[in-house]
Amino acid sequence: FDNLSCEILNPDYALFTQSADGATFQPNSHSDVNPDHLSYFKFAGRTMSLALYHKQLLNVYFTRSFYKHILGIPVSYRDVESIDPEYASNLQWLLDNEIDSLDLALTFSVETDVFGVTQLIELKPNGSSLLVTDSNKTEYVQLVTEMRMTQAIGPQIRAFTDGFYEVIPHHLISLFNEYELELLMSGLPDIDVDDWEKNTEYTG
């Protein structure tokens, strides 16, 4: 299972990309450069679910948002930090400050780059004509978060979870939260020495 999981992360397949922390992975929004990418995602989901079923730890860690996707838990703007810390900081600033008096010209739309071609994506109907204000900025932050963290990789998520649920049904895996799922699938990424000392009994 460990060898398979490492191979699934092979950049040559363009299935997963490293997050900003350099240690976790999430689905690549441009994985469709590989025409069979959705079949591979379904295989990846089935493989990792089988590893979990057989209690085999994997040497791979995903972003917190991807564990949420597996569990069916909605993402929040705080999850953006693992993918794009600067963008997450901008969203936090938007929420923390009054913007009506500023000329931000921010609308319910975002531009995205797809292989050098800029595309405008509306977050809601006529979003490019709707300005973001103090009264609707919370909605904007949630919508832009869902677009970047969920909709941009929607087909990949669905294919992965289809394979995953074939082995472990959603109603069983949803008993856990994203932190518990990471622990079940991959164990602890780092040893907390202080916690180790606090919970160790010395005898003799």
Side-chain angles (χ1 to χ4, degrees):
F1 287 114
D2 209 31
N3 289 336
L4 271 176
S5 65
C6 290
E7 191 64 17
I8 288 167
L9 298 178
N10 187 328
D12 290 341
Y13 296 122
L15 297 178
F16 291 88
T17 57
Q18 272 189 323
S19 62
D21 61 20
T24 57
F25 293 83
Q26 77 153 11
N28 182 359
S29 59
H30 301 316
S31 64
D32 56 1
V33 296
N34 181 339
D36 297 318
H37 69 129
L38 295 182
S39 296
Y40 284 124
F41 272 109
K42 187 171 184 178
F43 173 75
R46 190 183 299 118
T47 298
M48 293 183 186
S49 188
L50 275 169
L52 178 58
Y53 181 82
H54 290 290
K55 300 179 182 179
Q56 299 294 309
L57 293 179
L58 300 173
N59 188 28
V60 54
Y61 294 88
F62 295 110
T63 57
R64 197 74 61 206
S65 59
F66 189 56
Y67 290 118
K68 286 185 174 182
H69 289 314
I70 296 173
L71 297 168
I73 299 173
V75 296
S76 77
Y77 74 94
R78 293 183 178 85
D79 296 315
V80 177
E81 186 173 8
S82 65
I83 310 301
D84 190 338
E86 183 178 355
Y87 192 72
S89 178
N90 291 339
L91 293 179
Q92 186 65 62
W93 182 92
L94 194 68
L95 292 172
D96 293 342
N97 294 274
E98 294 184 0
I99 63 172
D100 284 351
S101 60
L102 305 176
D103 186 20
L104 297 180
L106 193 62
T107 67
F108 276 74
S109 62
V110 292
E111 289 186 347
T112 182
D113 181 274
V114 181
F115 299 112
V117 179
T118 301
Q119 295 182 354
L120 183 70
I121 298 177
E122 294 193 327
L123 302 175
K124 59 191 303 184
N126 300 315
S128 58
S129 303
L130 180 61
L131 287 174
V132 178
T133 65
D134 284 319
S135 63
N136 63 22
K137 63 184 181 182
T138 300
E139 180 189 13
Y140 168 81
V141 167
Q142 183 58 34
L143 288 176
V144 79
T145 296
E146 290 174 358
M147 188 281 296
R148 292 198 61 163
M149 306 295 289
T150 304
Q151 294 173 24
I153 53 173
Q156 294 90 331
I157 293 170
R158 286 189 291 273
F160 184 96
T161 53
D162 282 348
F164 194 97
Y165 300 154
E166 284 182 1
V167 180
I168 302 178
H170 177 257
H171 73 275
L172 293 179
I173 200 65
S174 63
L175 297 173
F176 304 100
N177 62 34
E178 65 271 23
Y179 301 97
E180 293 167 337
L181 181 58
E182 178 184 39
L183 189 62
L184 286 169
M185 291 179 67
S186 304
L188 289 171
D190 299 299
I191 295 175
D192 188 330
V193 177
D194 291 333
D195 182 68
W196 193 6
E197 290 178 346
K198 289 176 184 176
N199 293 282
T200 299
E201 290 187 14
Y202 297 93
T203 58

